[in-house]
Amino acid sequence: MKPRTANKIATVVIVTFALLIVAILVSLLGYILIRGMSHISWDFLTSAPQKIRAGGGVGPQLFNSLFLLVLTLIITVPLGLGAGIFMAEYARPGKLTNFIRLVVEVLSSFPSIIVGLFGLLLIVNTFNLGFSLISGALALTFFNLPLMVRITEQAFRTVPKQQKEAGFALGLSKWKIVTSVLLPVALPTIITGTILSAGRVFGEAAALMFTAGMSSPRLDFSNWNPLSPSSPLNPFRPAETLAVHIWKVNSEGLAPDALQIAAGASAVLVLTVLIFNLAARYFGRFIYRKLTASKRMS
Amino acid sequence: MSFCVLLLIVIIISMVYFVASKGVANFVSGEVKVSEFLFGTKWSPEADTPSYGAFPFISGSFLVTLLAALIASPLSICAALFMTEIVPGWGKKLLQPVIELLSGIPSVVYGFVGLSVIVPFLRDTLPGQGIGVAAGALVLSVMILPTITSVAADALASLPQNLKESSFALGATRWQTISRVILPTTFPAIMTGVVLGMARAFGEALAVQMVIGNAPFVPHSLFESASTLTSVITLGMGNTTMGSPQNNALWSMALVLMLMTFVFVLLVRMLERRNKI
């Protein structure tokens, strides 16, 4: 074959495959949203699920997912920030630092089901916290922490060196430089990354099946006492999240409209993740403009 | 801050310790031999003389992972080439958000779509029930597309410009440049992406569990039901008593998964080292 013909064929193949991926995404999103949207209503979003009858909603599941996300972020953000800043600014290159890097890498590549099983063994059984929101949040911490560390470290590393040097030249202490010079510049990237990781946590199911549990007790949304078993705010109650609910409905759902519920819940899940993605972009830019003197984000 | 780092180390050590101690319990007590667990093809923990052969699940995991990588790699590499070599301007603008969105879709949603689109499609067009190895591999391949594409695109983008320019200067066509210069140079980096994708596919639980059929046999064709390590653990862990040999066998499978994660991380590290030179 002549090289020019080969070139033409190869180009056509590459372009076709690339467009195929775009087509996959468009049809995937289109399918999920079109099938699911018709089933989403205010009632679907707020009512409790039905076991055998049709017409159940995903209200408690949606609430559980959001509450669990908040709990997880409360735990992981400070820890991840601390470890990430340490890795970027304080750790000296050496065997120990390499080892910590390996730990982060291994931890972030563990399958989520392993994280769930570990949570089952340690948190649910050994610490005796049972299937509860707090167990789920801790399991998600193991899952999310390496991600946060990486995001923070990368955000700090991309800050121009001159800004740090300027801080030193002014005689500022290392701590002052980290908190008042580097952090504001790195913050937009960190916030963007955190919101994106929140999207991942929101859709996570395998790690939660064995920690947060696969059932949700009857919730009384007028009861705001966090210690009462029927209160939605009680962190020690079992909590099925939206993603786990989709799995359960698909694999063992008995309701006659199980497929529609799965479709509706999937659409809610995907929409929420899309909103997280958009929010990440918007917020990152917004905070950058607030915290730094620049008017435009490069 | 050192506390945060220390916490990471404590987490990983306890994770390895707990899973390993549960995972070897059956072998230590003599209930199951390691060779029987790894190579036995019969899984019938509830029979009178129970047998705990996990070979169908181990082979199932490897099978769907390899198939998914075989389907996804060419697609992803082409997408990466499209973004960096063919139309770097709007190609990147088009594909970057697509890749980000694909990687953001939760795995249960992939499972749901697989169950309601891919399975009926396979059932109507090909022999078999629709659920099975092929469906699992297809779902997984879409899930790992973003991983491979983004790593490959990064690798291609970081390639020194003069390599390409000198190839063009010699009169090579674009495809000659891609196939003889660009791909061989970036091969280790692209393989890193493939291995990362395989690691994700190997550990993925729920999406596979929903479409693979979960039969405890070694499949004879791609359209038969099979199981993976993750799907068996997902289904079995809640229904077995803690500490029973059957439950411990599931933990042994978790240990296999964990060891495979180490293998994948090791592979990635080796490839990265090769890439540096």
Short mmCIF file of all heavy atoms in Angstrom, two decimals, chain B residues 228-253:
data_model
loop_
_atom_site.label_atom_id
_atom_site.label_comp_id
_atom_site.label_asym_id
_atom_site.label_seq_id
_atom_site.Cartn_x
_atom_site.Cartn_y
_atom_site.Cartn_z
N THR B 228 -17.25 -13.10 38.43
CA THR B 228 -15.93 -12.58 38.73
C THR B 228 -15.75 -12.61 40.24
O THR B 228 -16.72 -12.82 40.97
CB THR B 228 -15.77 -11.13 38.24
OG1 THR B 228 -16.74 -10.33 38.91
CG2 THR B 228 -15.98 -11.03 36.75
N LEU B 229 -14.52 -12.41 40.68
CA LEU B 229 -14.26 -12.38 42.13
C LEU B 229 -15.15 -11.35 42.80
O LEU B 229 -15.78 -11.62 43.83
CB LEU B 229 -12.79 -12.02 42.37
CG LEU B 229 -11.77 -13.06 41.92
CD1 LEU B 229 -10.38 -12.45 41.92
CD2 LEU B 229 -11.81 -14.25 42.85
N THR B 230 -15.23 -10.16 42.19
CA THR B 230 -15.99 -9.09 42.82
C THR B 230 -17.48 -9.41 42.87
O THR B 230 -18.14 -9.14 43.86
CB THR B 230 -15.79 -7.78 42.07
OG1 THR B 230 -15.97 -8.03 40.68
CG2 THR B 230 -14.44 -7.20 42.31
N SER B 231 -17.99 -10.02 41.80
CA SER B 231 -19.43 -10.28 41.80
C SER B 231 -19.79 -11.34 42.84
O SER B 231 -20.83 -11.25 43.49
CB SER B 231 -19.89 -10.70 40.40
OG SER B 231 -19.50 -12.01 40.09
N VAL B 232 -18.93 -12.34 43.01
CA VAL B 232 -19.21 -13.37 44.03
C VAL B 232 -19.15 -12.77 45.43
O VAL B 232 -20.00 -13.05 46.28
CB VAL B 232 -18.22 -14.54 43.90
CG1 VAL B 232 -18.48 -15.56 44.98
CG2 VAL B 232 -18.34 -15.18 42.54
N ILE B 233 -18.15 -11.91 45.65
CA ILE B 233 -18.05 -11.29 46.98
C ILE B 233 -19.29 -10.43 47.25
O ILE B 233 -19.88 -10.49 48.33
CB ILE B 233 -16.78 -10.42 47.08
CG1 ILE B 233 -15.53 -11.28 46.91
CG2 ILE B 233 -16.73 -9.70 48.41
CD1 ILE B 233 -14.25 -10.48 46.83
N THR B 234 -19.68 -9.64 46.26
CA THR B 234 -20.84 -8.75 46.43
C THR B 234 -22.07 -9.54 46.83
O THR B 234 -22.80 -9.17 47.75
CB THR B 234 -21.15 -8.03 45.11
OG1 THR B 234 -19.95 -7.58 44.54
CG2 THR B 234 -22.07 -6.89 45.33
N LEU B 235 -22.29 -10.64 46.12
CA LEU B 235 -23.51 -11.40 46.38
C LEU B 235 -23.41 -12.23 47.64
O LEU B 235 -24.39 -12.42 48.35
CB LEU B 235 -23.81 -12.31 45.19
CG LEU B 235 -24.28 -11.58 43.93
CD1 LEU B 235 -24.44 -12.55 42.80
CD2 LEU B 235 -25.59 -10.87 44.22
N GLY B 236 -22.21 -12.77 47.91
CA GLY B 236 -22.10 -13.76 48.98
C GLY B 236 -21.88 -13.18 50.36
O GLY B 236 -22.32 -13.75 51.36
N MET B 237 -21.22 -12.02 50.44
CA MET B 237 -20.77 -11.54 51.75
C MET B 237 -21.92 -11.32 52.72
O MET B 237 -21.81 -11.61 53.90
CB MET B 237 -19.97 -10.25 51.55
CG MET B 237 -19.07 -9.89 52.69
SD MET B 237 -17.99 -11.23 53.23
CE MET B 237 -16.50 -10.94 52.32
N GLY B 238 -23.04 -10.83 52.21
CA GLY B 238 -24.15 -10.55 53.11
C GLY B 238 -24.90 -11.81 53.54
O GLY B 238 -25.58 -11.80 54.56
N ASN B 239 -24.78 -12.88 52.76
CA ASN B 239 -25.59 -14.07 53.03
C ASN B 239 -24.84 -15.18 53.75
O ASN B 239 -25.37 -16.27 53.91
CB ASN B 239 -26.14 -14.64 51.71
CG ASN B 239 -26.91 -13.58 50.95
OD1 ASN B 239 -27.60 -12.78 51.55
ND2 ASN B 239 -26.76 -13.57 49.64
N THR B 240 -23.60 -14.95 54.13
CA THR B 240 -22.86 -16.00 54.83
C THR B 240 -22.53 -15.52 56.23
O THR B 240 -22.41 -14.32 56.48
CB THR B 240 -21.55 -16.32 54.09
OG1 THR B 240 -20.86 -15.10 53.85
CG2 THR B 240 -21.82 -17.02 52.78
N THR B 241 -22.37 -16.46 57.14
CA THR B 241 -22.04 -16.09 58.51
C THR B 241 -20.56 -15.79 58.62
O THR B 241 -19.74 -16.51 58.07
CB THR B 241 -22.36 -17.24 59.49
OG1 THR B 241 -23.08 -18.22 58.76
CG2 THR B 241 -23.15 -16.77 60.66
N MET B 242 -20.27 -14.72 59.35
CA MET B 242 -18.87 -14.37 59.59
C MET B 242 -18.13 -15.53 60.25
O MET B 242 -18.63 -16.12 61.20
CB MET B 242 -18.81 -13.16 60.53
CG MET B 242 -18.81 -11.83 59.83
SD MET B 242 -17.16 -11.45 59.24
CE MET B 242 -17.49 -9.99 58.29
N GLY B 243 -16.96 -15.86 59.72
CA GLY B 243 -16.15 -16.88 60.35
C GLY B 243 -16.39 -18.28 59.80
O GLY B 243 -15.60 -19.18 60.07
N SER B 244 -17.45 -18.48 59.04
CA SER B 244 -17.68 -19.80 58.45
C SER B 244 -16.69 -20.01 57.30
O SER B 244 -16.18 -19.04 56.75
CB SER B 244 -19.10 -19.91 57.92
OG SER B 244 -19.28 -19.01 56.85
N PRO B 245 -16.37 -21.28 56.97
CA PRO B 245 -15.42 -21.51 55.89
C PRO B 245 -15.84 -20.84 54.59
O PRO B 245 -15.00 -20.32 53.85
CB PRO B 245 -15.42 -23.04 55.73
CG PRO B 245 -15.92 -23.57 57.01
CD PRO B 245 -16.82 -22.53 57.59
N GLN B 246 -17.15 -20.83 54.32
CA GLN B 246 -17.62 -20.20 53.08
C GLN B 246 -17.32 -18.71 53.08
O GLN B 246 -16.84 -18.15 52.10
CB GLN B 246 -19.12 -20.43 52.93
CG GLN B 246 -19.65 -19.93 51.61
CD GLN B 246 -21.16 -20.10 51.51
OE1 GLN B 246 -21.79 -20.67 52.40
NE2 GLN B 246 -21.73 -19.63 50.42
N ASN B 247 -17.60 -18.08 54.24
CA ASN B 247 -17.33 -16.66 54.37
C ASN B 247 -15.83 -16.38 54.24
O ASN B 247 -15.41 -15.45 53.56
CB ASN B 247 -17.85 -16.18 55.73
CG ASN B 247 -17.73 -14.68 55.89
OD1 ASN B 247 -16.72 -14.19 56.38
ND2 ASN B 247 -18.73 -13.96 55.42
N ASN B 248 -15.03 -17.26 54.88
CA ASN B 248 -13.58 -17.06 54.80
C ASN B 248 -13.08 -17.23 53.37
O ASN B 248 -12.11 -16.58 52.98
CB ASN B 248 -12.86 -18.04 55.72
CG ASN B 248 -12.94 -17.57 57.16
OD1 ASN B 248 -13.14 -16.39 57.42
ND2 ASN B 248 -12.80 -18.51 58.09
N ALA B 249 -13.74 -18.14 52.61
CA ALA B 249 -13.33 -18.30 51.21
C ALA B 249 -13.56 -17.00 50.44
O ALA B 249 -12.76 -16.63 49.58
CB ALA B 249 -14.11 -19.44 50.56
N LEU B 250 -14.66 -16.29 50.78
CA LEU B 250 -14.90 -15.00 50.13
C LEU B 250 -13.79 -14.00 50.49
O LEU B 250 -13.35 -13.20 49.66
CB LEU B 250 -16.25 -14.44 50.55
CG LEU B 250 -17.48 -15.20 50.06
CD1 LEU B 250 -18.75 -14.62 50.65
CD2 LEU B 250 -17.56 -15.18 48.56
N TRP B 251 -13.35 -14.07 51.75
CA TRP B 251 -12.24 -13.18 52.15
C TRP B 251 -10.96 -13.55 51.41
O TRP B 251 -10.16 -12.66 51.08
CB TRP B 251 -12.01 -13.25 53.66
CG TRP B 251 -13.04 -12.46 54.41
CD1 TRP B 251 -14.12 -12.95 55.07
CD2 TRP B 251 -13.10 -11.04 54.55
NE1 TRP B 251 -14.85 -11.92 55.60
CE2 TRP B 251 -14.25 -10.74 55.31
CE3 TRP B 251 -12.29 -10.00 54.10
CZ2 TRP B 251 -14.60 -9.44 55.62
CZ3 TRP B 251 -12.66 -8.71 54.43
CH2 TRP B 251 -13.80 -8.44 55.17
N SER B 252 -10.77 -14.86 51.15
CA SER B 252 -9.59 -15.25 50.37
C SER B 252 -9.65 -14.61 48.99
O SER B 252 -8.63 -14.19 48.44
CB SER B 252 -9.51 -16.76 50.22
OG SER B 252 -9.59 -17.39 51.48
N MET B 253 -10.88 -14.55 48.43
CA MET B 253 -11.02 -13.90 47.12
C MET B 253 -10.67 -12.42 47.22
O MET B 253 -10.05 -11.86 46.32
CB MET B 253 -12.44 -14.07 46.60
CG MET B 253 -12.77 -15.48 46.23
SD MET B 253 -14.44 -15.54 45.61
CE MET B 253 -14.87 -17.18 46.09
#
